[in-house]
Amino acid sequence: MNAQCIGLVCRDCGTRVTESEFSLSCPKCGAPMRVEFAPGSIREALKNGLPEYDGRSYLRQWRCVLPISDESLIDRVTLGETETSLLRSHRYGPSRGIKDLYFKIEQGPTLSLKDRGTALCVIKALETGAHTVCLASSGNNAASVSAYGSRAGLRPVVFVQKQVSAAKIFKSLVYGGKVVRIDGDMATASRVCSEMVREKGWYQCGGPNPYRVAGKRTFAYGIVQQLGRVPDTVLIPCGGGAGMVAAFDGFSEMLEAGVIDRMPRLVGVQLEACCPTATAFREGKDVVVPVEKKPSLSDAIMNNNPYWGKYCLQAVRSTGGTMITVSDEDFIRTIRNLGREEGLFTEPAGSVSVAALDKLVKVPGFEDPGVTVCNLTGHGLNSPQVATSDSEYPEPVTPTLEAVEAFLAQ
Ligand SMILES: [Zn+2]
C-alpha cells in the first residue's frame, strides 16, 4: 500500500494547503512547505521493510513513499532514473583510516543529483495541467529540467544571468530548454522567473518547490536499502541546503516507521569561497546570513543566500553532525585522487563530500566516523577541465615500440 499524501504543510507555522491549492511557500508566513502524508501511512507502506530493488525507475521503486496521483505519468516522464549506485571504497577510505567508506554516485540521466527531484516535479507539473516548466539556474538543475520537461512534452524555460559561459548552458540548449539570458545578475533572473510563474501560471521546478525535496529524500531510502542498515555518518554537499533537508526527512521517516533504529550523523560540506551555512553553524546561530562570494573554480554549491539554510542547520544539529568547509585546492586534489584510486570522475561540487573527510576525522567525536557515506552529486563531465591543466595534454609519440616505452618510462 502507498503512503497517502494529504497536502503540504508549512515547516514553521504548520499552515496546511491541499495539493490542488499548491503553494511554493507558506501562504501565511512565507516559510518552506513540506509534503505531508497521513499519520502512520508511511509506517504502513513500509511495514514489510523497504521494497526490493529490481532496476526500475526510482519513481516506481519508491512509489510507496512518493506523492504521485497518476502513476501513468511515470512512463511519460521517465528517463531511466534508476536508483543510483552505492560503491564501497577500495582504496581511498582504507588508506586514510576510514575502513567502511561508501560513495553514493548520485548522478542521474543528466549526470547530476538534480534528476531525482526534477522527475517528481515534472510529474506534478503534468498533474496540475501546466504547459511550461521553469526555474532560474545556469547549471545542473537547468539541464535536468530542460531534459525532463522536453521528455514530458512540456516547454522548459530556463532563466540565466547575463554573465554566463556558453559551456554552462550547453546541456540545457541541447535538451531543448528555452534559455532566457536576463540582462542582470542571478538574483534578478530568479525574480523575473518568479514573476513569470505568478503571471503565466508556469510551473516552478526550482529550489523552493516542496516536491523537489520530496523526490530528493528517496536518496536516504536508497542508501539504507543498499547498505542493509543505517550508516553512521553521511556527508552531503550543501549549496541551497535542499539535499541536507531531504536526507533528514528521509531518514526521519524511516526512523519513525521502524525501518532504522537511529539517525545517522549528517555532515554538511561547503566551499570556503561561499560558506554561509557553515559560518552560521560555527557561530551557533539559528539563521543563515548572506555572504559575499569569493572566486572558486566550482560553479555549483556557490549559493550565498541559501533558501534552506535554517533547516539545513536544524538537520545537522539535531543529528549530532557538523559542517565542514573545503578549499579549491582540496577538491582539485580529491577529484584527481578519486580518479586514480577509485575510477570515479566527479565535478567539484560532488567531490567536496570526499574532500571533507580529512578535516572531519580531526573534529572531536568524528575520529572514527564508522560506516560513512559520501554523496557524489555530479559527474566530472559537468566541468571536465577543472582538475587538469593544458600542460598535461600529451605530446604525439612516434608510432614505434621504442618510443612508446621511452614515453611510459617518463
Ligand atoms: Zn507558515
Side-chain angles (χ1 to χ4, degrees):
M1 203 171 84
N2 298 325
Q4 185 200 350
C5 177
I6 55 173
L8 306 174
V9 59
C10 172
R11 287 182 185 262
D12 277 7
C13 76
T15 294
R16 290 184 160 83
V17 299
T18 63
E19 283 203 280
S20 58
E21 292 168 331
F22 177 68
S23 179
L24 281 169
S25 56
C26 175
K28 204 177 260 181
C29 76
M33 305 294 279
R34 179 170 55 78
V35 174
E36 189 177 30
F37 294 89
S41 75
I42 289 184
R43 174 181 273 272
E44 180 65 20
L46 301 178
K47 68 179 179 202
N48 297 321
L50 299 180
E52 288 294 313
Y53 177 58
D54 61 5
R56 56 202 155 149
S57 162
Y58 97 90
L59 294 165
R60 290 201 186 282
Q61 172 67 28
W62 304 117
R63 167 67 191 95
C64 66
V65 293
L66 283 173
I68 296 173
S69 305
D70 181 354
E71 280 184 36
S72 71
L73 295 175
I74 294 176
D75 288 336
R76 184 163 159 196
V77 164
T78 185
L79 282 168
E81 56 295 307
T82 50
E83 184 51 53
T84 59
S85 300
L86 184 76
L87 301 178
R88 187 178 183 125
S89 170
H90 288 168
R91 274 166 288 278
Y92 191 96
S95 69
R96 289 161 180 80
I98 305 170
K99 60 182 191 302
D100 288 319
L101 176 64
Y102 292 81
F103 304 116
K104 182 67 169 160
I105 314 296
E106 189 66 356
Q107 297 160 14
T110 72
L111 301 183
S112 86
L113 79 163
K114 301 296 185 183
D115 297 331
R116 202 185 278 271
T118 301
L120 182 60
C121 281
V122 171
I123 282 189
K124 301 314 284 188
L126 290 169
E127 284 182 1
T128 60
H131 298 289
T132 298
V133 285
C134 66
L135 85 172
S137 160
S138 58
N140 290 331
N141 218 356
S144 181
V145 168
S146 295
Y148 276 90
S150 292
R151 173 73 170 169
L154 301 173
R155 179 174 65 145
V157 180
V158 177
F159 291 84
V160 303
Q161 61 189 352
K162 183 181 181 186
Q163 299 298 333
V164 64
S165 69
K168 276 183 78 176
I169 55 176
F170 169 75
K171 283 207 299 184
S172 298
L173 290 168
V174 172
Y175 284 135
K178 186 75 178 171
V179 178
V180 185
R181 187 169 156 234
I182 293 290
D183 191 359
D185 61 9
M186 203 61 210
T188 312
S190 295
R191 178 177 58 74
V192 176
C193 178
S194 299
E195 285 169 8
M196 294 301 281
V197 167
R198 275 195 300 275
E199 274 299 305
K200 304 283 185 186
W202 292 358
Y203 193 85
Q204 163 68 274
C205 289
N209 190 317
Y211 291 108
R212 177 166 287 283
V213 171
K216 285 165 90 85
R217 84 197 206 290
T218 57
F219 138 88
Y221 284 84
I223 289 174
V224 170
Q225 190 216 42
Q226 290 163 324
L227 269 182
R229 55 162 288 177
V230 63
D232 297 306
T233 307
V234 182
L235 291 94
I236 299 172
C238 292
M244 175 62 78
V245 175
F248 180 81
D249 285 356
F251 285 116
S252 300
E253 289 164 7
M254 284 184 280
L255 182 65
E256 203 177 312
V259 172
I260 56 177
D261 57 3
R262 61 191 161 79
M263 292 288 280
R265 293 193 289 183
L266 300 178
V267 176
V269 187
Q270 293 198 305
L271 293 169
E272 287 174 4
C274 184
C275 54
T277 313
T279 302
F281 179 82
R282 199 176 55 242
E283 294 175 351
K285 292 186 176 144
D286 294 330
V287 291
V288 177
V289 180
V291 296
E292 284 285 317
K293 289 188 218 180
K294 298 184 189 114
S296 170
L297 288 170
S298 172
D299 53 20
I301 68 165
M302 289 287 287
N303 191 325
N304 71 325
N305 186 16
Y307 182 79
W308 297 93
K310 173 180 150 186
Y311 309 91
C312 183
L313 285 172
Q314 289 171 0
V316 170
R317 287 198 175 113
S318 69
T319 61
T322 188
M323 295 285 304
I324 303 283
T325 56
V326 299
S327 67
D328 279 26
E329 292 73 32
D330 292 333
F331 72 63
I332 289 170
R333 187 175 61 250
T334 304
I335 290 170
R336 296 303 293 255
N337 287 337
L338 281 173
R340 289 167 180 153
E341 298 177 34
E342 303 282 2
L344 300 172
F345 187 19
T346 61
E347 68 176 292
S351 71
V352 300
S353 60
V354 183
L357 288 171
D358 287 341
K359 290 184 177 172
L360 179 68
V361 295
K362 294 185 181 122
V363 175
F366 287 91
E367 295 86 351
D368 177 8
V371 175
T372 301
V373 178
C374 288
N375 192 13
L376 273 54
T377 54
H379 197 282
L381 288 175
N382 293 321
S383 45
Q385 287 175 327
V386 166
T388 51
S389 65
D390 289 344
S391 64
E392 290 180 88
Y393 195 77
E395 292 297 322
V397 174
T398 309
T400 64
L401 291 187
E402 295 76 14
V404 170
E405 282 183 5
F407 174 75
L408 293 175
Q410 283 173 14

